[in-house]
Amino acid sequence: MKVNIEQFQKQYANESDCIPLVFRMKWPTGYHCPRCACAAFYIINTRRLPLYECRKCGHQTSLTAGSIMDKSRTPLHKWLLVMYIVSACKTSINAVHLAKLIAVTYKTAWSMLNKVRRTITDLDHTILLSGHIEAKPDIYTRRIFHSTETLQREQSVIVGRTKSSTGPSYYKIKLAPTQLDPRKPLSQAAEDEFRDTHIDPAATHIDIIRKPIIPWGSHPQLRQFAPAAFQWMNDTFHGISASMAQSYMDEYCFRINTKHLTPSQSFELLLGHSLTPNLAKDLAYSNSLLKWAM
Ligand SMILES: [Zn+2]
């Protein structure tokens, strides 16, 4: 499916183009008051974006209330474009390029990308690996120029995936902060942490390999996945701080995990999740789009 940024920019050129889509994503079953659940409302059109006032209790809410766009002065159509680029384009974008593309400051572009990535991380936390799972430790090395720094810049990660013979696999790469030496076999603490946070307790089969370096030919998908992710990270975001590494890993996995969706499905998945007032609690919409084969 072709991704066309110019066409997207034409389709969502101003706020009035975006409002119907965001309304539908925020309230897929129709407006309901967040305080009393009443479905009847008045529209107040005195601001850039409309306010929706409940006819029963008078509570006012907006399309972006509680979302990553809440209180942002950046127009909705710029936010939508960022989410479209991150979710639908093959290559990512860094803050320098984004700032130019949508005519905002570098600081604003960086903050927008950061919030969109937090949405991706949060979405990933709502999806547990289930069914038949395989996982292994790997070593993330940030791009460095002096070999003596190598060890200091290595971090232990765990890469895991659902093994499916009928549909796409779902992948995760997570930093393993309790694993002190990335070159040693996976510690029990790091393994437990990964299991507790990312694996469905009802999983049918869990195969965790403990060594970071495994022979050629064994677990090929798992073996190749993390190095490809790290290459992409280093190529896209020259120089990555430790605190950002997890977001980039999550973004890479999101791109791979949504490959079987169309660009607009991936975009709507991200937009829908970004609007959830309490991101972690509302799974209904993401589950309706993401039917991971188990
Ligand atoms: Zn109400």
Side-chain angles (χ1 to χ4, degrees), residues 37-249:
C38 172
F41 61 98
Y42 304 102
I43 298 183
I44 302 167
N45 272 320
T46 50
R47 299 189 188 182
R48 176 169 61 87
L49 291 175
L51 278 177
Y52 302 89
E53 184 178 300
C54 173
R55 285 196 185 214
K56 197 170 161 195
C57 77
H59 179 74
Q60 293 183 343
T61 192
S62 71
L63 289 174
T64 56
S67 79
I68 60 166
M69 298 171 276
D70 200 359
K71 298 185 178 70
S72 165
R73 278 175 297 186
T74 307
L76 214 46
H77 67 271
K78 295 190 180 185
W79 274 105
L80 262 53
L81 182 64
V82 178
M83 285 190 238
Y84 185 71
I85 291 170
V86 171
S87 59
C89 293
K90 270 188 188 155
T91 49
S92 189
I93 190 163
N94 60 36
V96 175
H97 290 137
L98 181 65
K100 269 188 206 155
L101 183 72
I102 63 171
V104 296
T105 62
Y106 172 81
K107 203 177 147 192
T108 300
W110 192 90
S111 161
M112 290 170 88
L113 281 170
N114 196 30
K115 285 179 179 171
V116 169
R117 291 196 182 101
R118 268 166 41 202
T119 306
I120 289 177
T121 297
D122 192 86
L123 177 62
D124 177 68
H125 274 271
T126 68
I127 299 166
L128 297 176
L129 297 177
S130 59
H132 189 157
I133 298 155
E134 60 177 11
K136 77 177 273 296
D138 219 305
I139 303 162
Y140 169 55
T141 310
R142 278 179 281 157
R143 178 175 281 169
I144 47 109
F145 301 99
H146 305 290
S147 57
T148 47
E149 289 182 56
T150 304
L151 282 173
Q152 293 165 17
R153 292 187 178 227
E154 285 185 341
Q155 282 173 293
S156 185
V157 302
I158 300 178
V159 50
R161 70 173 197 128
T162 56
K163 269 178 90 172
S164 168
S165 52
T166 52
S169 290
Y170 187 88
Y171 284 88
K172 288 174 185 266
I173 308 175
K174 298 293 171 186
L175 287 169
T178 53
Q179 174 81 1
L180 294 177
D181 184 347
R183 295 200 168 254
K184 287 203 169 143
L186 195 62
S187 71
Q188 190 62 50
E191 181 182 326
D192 289 348
E193 189 178 68
F194 185 77
R195 279 177 185 265
D196 292 348
T197 320
H198 300 290
I199 295 184
D200 184 346
T204 53
H205 184 88
I206 304 171
D207 182 12
I208 296 187
I209 303 140
R210 306 205 95 194
K211 287 183 183 169
I213 295 158
I214 56 174
W216 280 100
S218 90
H219 303 274
Q221 285 93 343
L222 207 54
R223 194 178 179 286
Q224 290 156 12
F225 191 78
F230 303 152
Q231 183 69 48
W232 174 85
M233 287 163 62
N234 282 332
D235 289 349
T236 313
F237 314 103
H238 318 280
I240 292 170
S241 66
S243 61
M244 291 304 293
Q246 185 63 67
S247 313
Y248 297 139
M249 290 176 200

